[in-house]
Amino acid sequence: MLRKPLLALLLAAALHPALAKEAAPVAADPVAEARLMKLSSELRCLVCQNQTIADSNAELAVDLRNEIREKIQADMSDAEIKDFMVARYGDFVLYRPPVKNTTLVLWAGPFLLLAVGGGILVFNLRRRRQHVADPELSRDDQALAESLLHTDSTKETT
Amino acid sequence: MKAWYLIPLAIFIAMLVFLGVGLKLDPHEVPSPLIDKPAPVFHLQTLDIPSRLMSSADMRGQVWLLNVWASWCSGCREEHPVLVEFAKTRAVPIYGLDYKDQPDDARRLLDSMGNPYIASVSDLDGRTGIEFGVYGVPETFVIDKAGVIRYKQIGPITPKVLHDTILPLVKKLNAA
């Protein structure tokens, strides 16, 4: 009994233009929104520096997301949009900065430290091996040591 | 081989030096890529007379300061008296970019705290701010006669910055 009026009501609601409009902005262009999210998650928000523009709710991040959204709608490529950001805010906005003279230490530094640490480790291990191989007791020393050990152990047992 | 014992100490001292220097650096001061590049062009309505537009091209041929400010920004209130005092010396014309602000609030601030600007323009939607790479007001740009950005101050202008950095630069640019 209840079913048919309910169905009609649902149908009417679904077809109602105002309701259809309300949901529109979110899913306006899923492809563009996905691109926006992907792009802005690689860009640093300069106000709160450890957040991406995608994550941040800072006002500047919101403005920059709108800026990027417009650029996507204007058919600019990802590289062009990134260049736009770098031209204004510097390489610092990129979470993956390019390899350049100024960023060389950043990219090569960890490997350099690893090489230095590894070198020190190898050097120390070699030295230690030499130390272990070193002591060769003469026959007299050996006898002396044995007698000492012997007397010690007899003393202890008595 | 006694010297070996000094190595951890040497590393420790080197770390202390690096950390000490790091303490004095401000991570919020990101060097602007716009230095030595032409200042972005803007056409914006002035704060005093919204019907009148002002363009950055109008400033060609003179060295000028562009101070990005807003009535909602506490750092701007901090630097405002410094700017007002500085404007009295007439060393260099100061123009304001009122960033994402309500013009009424901005006018009220200028009325109560003094107006150091030859003129201010309203950047209502923050677009011009983005063009200038603004990320934290207040910011101040020194722009030369050819319209090229020569210096950017991030954060409030202090009397020290004014006398050690901005004034000598303005003099040099005016002589050029």
Side-chain angles (χ1 to χ4, degrees), chain A residues 48-95:
Chain A
C48 32
Q49 298 185 344
N50 290 324
Q51 274 188 311
T52 65
I53 288 175
D55 293 335
S56 174
N57 283 323
E59 221 175 295
L60 181 66
V62 176
D63 287 351
L64 286 173
R65 279 204 295 273
N66 287 332
E67 190 84 30
I68 294 169
R69 188 180 284 121
E70 277 182 24
K71 297 223 175 316
I72 288 172
Q73 278 158 4
D75 238 2
M76 277 172 78
S77 73
D78 287 5
E80 280 169 335
I81 295 172
K82 277 189 188 168
D83 285 347
F84 170 89
M85 295 291 292
V86 170
R88 279 153 191 80
Y89 297 100
D91 287 331
F92 190 66
V93 288
L94 301 175
Y95 263 104

Side-chain angles (χ1 to χ4, degrees), chain B residues 40-130:
Chain B
V41 176
F42 60 77
H43 304 275
L44 292 170
Q45 56 193 39
T46 54
L47 190 62
D48 296 331
I49 312 156
S51 60
R52 221 187 79 206
L53 290 183
M54 204 174 82
S55 162
S56 52
D58 300 344
M59 264 70 88
R60 278 289 163 90
Q62 63 173 343
V63 180
W64 57 292
L65 299 190
L66 179 70
N67 176 246
V68 185
W69 65 286
S71 65
W72 46 262
C73 138
S74 59
C76 306
R77 283 169 193 271
E78 195 182 306
E79 79 169 358
H80 205 86
V82 180
L83 283 179
V84 171
E85 273 309 303
F86 182 53
K88 284 181 190 160
T89 67
R90 296 177 178 273
V92 59
I94 309 171
Y95 289 85
L97 180 73
D98 187 23
Y99 177 72
K100 298 199 76 172
D101 204 357
Q102 300 292 333
D104 283 339
D105 295 343
R107 279 189 286 264
R108 214 167 298 142
L109 181 134
L110 294 184
D111 282 345
S112 64
M113 292 184 75
N115 185 352
Y117 308 108
I118 307 279
S120 270
V121 291
S122 302
D123 182 20
L124 296 171
D125 58 5
R127 278 299 178 82
T128 305
I130 289 177

